[in-house]
Amino acid sequence: MGIFIKRRGGIEYVYMLAGSSQYFLGRKDRPEDLNLQNFHRAARTIDRNMDRVLSKYLADLKECRRYMPEKEGQKYVLGRLKKMAAVLDHAASQAR
């Protein structure tokens, strides 16, 4: 996932990567003319991938806990969830 720039003939063009696809957004020097339909398509793909990966991660975390001693497993899972919450809080504060 990410945004990248391609230069052709001295003009910079903005693309967005999502999964194995790249979406053309438009010229870098004309942000008001960006293709919002492609932007939203890419964002939906990124969101679906993130939801799938996060669901798998949480299921794997739960499974790993089964094989750990009770106290250690609880401490590990709570530590991971707190770390994730901190990352999300930081991202939310950056978005404001």
Side-chain angles (χ1 to χ4, degrees):
M1 175 196 103
I3 292 181
F4 71 99
I5 309 297
K6 283 186 181 179
R7 183 178 295 197
R8 278 189 254 141
I11 300 172
E12 294 179 318
Y13 297 94
V14 181
Y15 291 81
M16 192 165 176
L17 292 176
S20 61
S21 300
Q22 64 181 10
Y23 296 87
F24 175 73
L25 299 182
R27 288 177 58 148
K28 184 178 178 184
D29 61 345
R30 295 186 189 157
E32 67 279 356
D33 293 334
L34 291 183
N35 184 330
L36 293 179
Q37 184 176 9
N38 279 350
F39 177 84
H40 291 294
R41 280 185 188 140
R44 280 193 305 272
T45 300
I46 291 165
D47 291 345
R48 276 193 309 270
N49 288 343
M50 179 60 196
D51 294 345
R52 180 182 45 79
V53 168
L54 182 58
S55 293
K56 174 138 178 39
Y57 175 77
L58 293 174
D60 290 347
L61 190 61
K62 184 178 177 182
E63 180 70 16
C64 287
R65 183 175 181 216
R66 289 183 49 207
Y67 301 102
M68 301 172 96
E70 182 65 30
K71 290 278 188 193
E72 184 180 341
Q74 185 178 18
K75 182 179 177 184
Y76 176 73
V77 169
L78 289 174
R80 293 304 307 150
L81 293 175
K82 285 180 183 177
K83 177 110 177 167
M84 289 170 58
V87 169
L88 292 172
D89 285 344
H90 178 72
S93 69
Q94 295 290 317
R96 292 183 193 132

